[in-house]
Amino acid sequence: MNGLQKVVALTVLLVFPFVSVAVFVGPIDTPVLQGGTATLRCSNSDFSGGVRQWREEGKTTFADQNGIFVGDTFTKYQDFQISAPSATQIDLIIPSAKVADEGTYECEMTPDKGSAVFTVEIQGSTPIITVDGDSSGSPIILTEDVETTLRCTATGYRPAVNLEWYMNNVKITTGVSEDSPIGSGDTFETSGTLTMTPTKDDNEGSLECRTTGQQVVPDQIGSLSLNVQFKPRVKVTYEFTTSTILCSADANPVTSIQYVIFLNDTAQTPGQSLPFNNAEYGCTRVKCDVTNSVGTGTDTRSEELCPAPQVNAAVIAVAVIIPIVVLVVIILIVICFKQRKFCFAPSKTGSGGTILKKQPSASNADMIRNQPEVRQSVHKYDDEPKKPRIPRSSTGNSKKQPGNDAAPRQSGGSPVEGNRGSPVEGNRGYPAENPDGRNQDGGGQGGVNYADLEFQNRQGDPNGHGQIHYPEEEPTQYASILV
């Protein structure tokens, strides 16, 4: 029963489930390895009578349920067997299969027929991979970047096989070609080629040629490893800790390999390493050539080797000391300002710790008093008694002259005009001046004078000037006035 018949029978069963339908199962295509046994099955569960027989397509019937027919016509089938365990089944058995047994066989069980192709497979020899006819073995020697054609030959196969190439289990699809099979008796020889340009990465790779096209016989694989020879890949380096130039290379083959280091294009003694003092050579271009039987590889250091710059010891000392000095100065300044002291001011104390202040001359004091606008910086002297300080007289006596407190005053509270400029009450103790303009006790020297004045808030007197008050009248404050 062919496929269409089976579909029709199944359809009838689904549509008319209560209708009895004959089911015929005919033989199917069967391959067998030479020397093996094959069974072609044929049955019909609803067979009720008629013929049950086998014939070869295009030939006469050679067997029925009773067995193989005898005679010269049936010589080919004399080793065949018939198995008919029931009235609904008749199977054909082919033992010790040989190529001569191949054919298309038909089974008939009234009213149905079915046929199948019987083939015998023969496993040939393992495929052989060669290069230019050389099959000396594995690994096979190739050269990088040199196009090479490899050939695979599979002999003694039935049916004829096809060939496929693989590199490291990856199928190769480019550079592949296959010749038409050549028959030889009952078998065939198939040959194909692979054209490739090997690279360094193919070195030690596994190349395979596989047969395909047989059903019973598994694919046969011929393989070999590749020995891809290539010129050296060179790397030149400089080891600073040992002051040595080093040359390394990845190459195949490594036998008879030669290393040569060049300094400014001048070849040195052959070797993989070279002690190098760049102070002796100055800036130097470094190159290394490595040669094997395939060719020469080279590498040049990207940067020249130059001596380290010489640093003057004095420069180093200055570079170290200056930051230290600056840091110390900054620290001292910070400390001084935190303690509210001006560290670099000249000392203002005399012997015995007495504070020395320059005293104004009498004429300067009068000038200060009579200025319409005087900028007075008022402060309290925490370290001095809260009373007016009387400048020393020209004799060094700081006491008041007797009777000076009774000196007459004009309205407005200012001293008698006739007393101004003299070291008596009218001047309230200010030092007198010599005719040449210098005060008698050395006050006002250095071009800057300070007058310690007693003062209160200004009064609104007619001339608009402030008044000098005496300590017995009101509490006194002090002003240092730059004159």
Side-chain angles (χ1 to χ4, degrees), residues 97-160:
K98 50 186 178 293
V99 174
D101 297 336
E102 290 184 337
T104 300
Y105 294 92
E106 180 183 86
C107 171
E108 180 181 0
M109 294 185 72
T110 305
D112 299 306
K113 297 179 181 179
S115 61
V117 176
F118 174 70
T119 56
V120 175
E121 293 185 357
I122 299 176
Q123 178 178 325
S125 61
T126 300
I128 298 174
I129 301 176
T130 61
V131 178
D132 298 329
D134 179 13
S135 58
S136 57
S138 179
I140 192 166
I141 299 175
L142 305 177
T143 303
E144 181 186 29
D145 297 332
V146 176
E147 186 177 270
T148 304
T149 299
L150 300 96
R151 179 171 292 276
C152 176
T153 302
T155 304
Y157 288 83
R158 184 180 181 88

Side-chain angles (χ1 to χ4, degrees), residues 174-398:
T174 59
V176 175
S177 65
E178 185 174 305
D179 301 335
S180 297
I182 300 174
S184 177
D186 294 335
T187 63
F188 296 87
E189 177 183 284
T190 303
S191 181
T193 60
L194 168 65
T195 301
M196 63 178 294
T197 301
T199 66
K200 174 182 176 295
D201 294 336
D202 295 327
N203 186 40
E204 299 182 354
S206 176
L207 182 66
E208 295 179 348
C209 175
R210 302 180 184 180
T211 63
T212 63
Q214 293 183 305
Q215 299 181 58
V216 179
V217 178
D219 294 346
Q220 300 300 295
I221 300 175
S223 65
L224 50 76
S225 60
L226 301 182
N227 180 358
V228 179
Q229 298 187 346
F230 53 91
K231 69 181 182 180
R233 268 67 168 170
V234 184
K235 181 66 176 178
V236 61
T237 58
Y238 181 69
E239 182 60 51
F240 287 91
T241 57
T242 59
S243 298
T244 304
I245 297 173
L246 301 176
C247 187
S248 59
D250 180 15
N252 184 31
V254 294
T255 57
S256 303
I257 194 168
Q258 185 178 35
Y259 295 81
V260 179
I261 296 175
F262 291 79
L263 302 180
N264 291 331
D265 298 327
T266 300
Q268 307 299 306
T269 302
Q272 283 188 263
S273 63
L274 178 68
F276 178 75
N277 183 358
N278 51 14
E280 176 183 350
Y281 289 89
C283 290
T284 304
R285 185 173 58 259
V286 178
K287 183 180 75 167
C288 179
D289 285 355
V290 182
T291 303
N292 66 358
S293 59
V294 178
T296 299
T298 187
D299 181 49
T300 301
R301 196 172 184 274
S302 58
E303 296 180 355
E304 292 184 344
L305 287 177
C306 293
Q310 299 297 320
V311 180
N312 192 311
V315 174
I316 296 178
V318 171
V320 173
I321 292 173
I322 288 179
I324 295 176
V325 172
V326 171
L327 180 61
V328 170
V329 171
I330 292 174
I331 293 174
L332 291 176
I333 292 175
V334 171
I335 293 174
C336 289
F337 277 100
K338 281 188 174 182
Q339 295 181 356
R340 301 181 181 278
K341 293 181 179 179
F342 189 66
C343 301
F344 306 104
S347 175
K348 295 183 180 181
T349 59
S351 60
T354 304
I355 297 177
L356 302 179
K357 289 186 177 254
K358 296 179 180 179
Q359 301 297 332
S361 64
S363 60
N364 285 341
D366 288 340
M367 180 185 68
I368 293 169
R369 279 198 303 270
N370 293 311
Q371 288 297 318
E373 297 294 333
V374 178
R375 294 182 181 179
Q376 299 179 342
S377 175
V378 180
H379 62 277
K380 291 182 179 181
Y381 290 92
D382 296 332
D383 55 347
E384 297 180 7
K386 296 299 186 288
K387 61 181 180 178
R389 292 181 295 158
I390 300 174
R392 294 179 184 177
S393 65
S394 59
T395 60
N397 184 6
S398 62

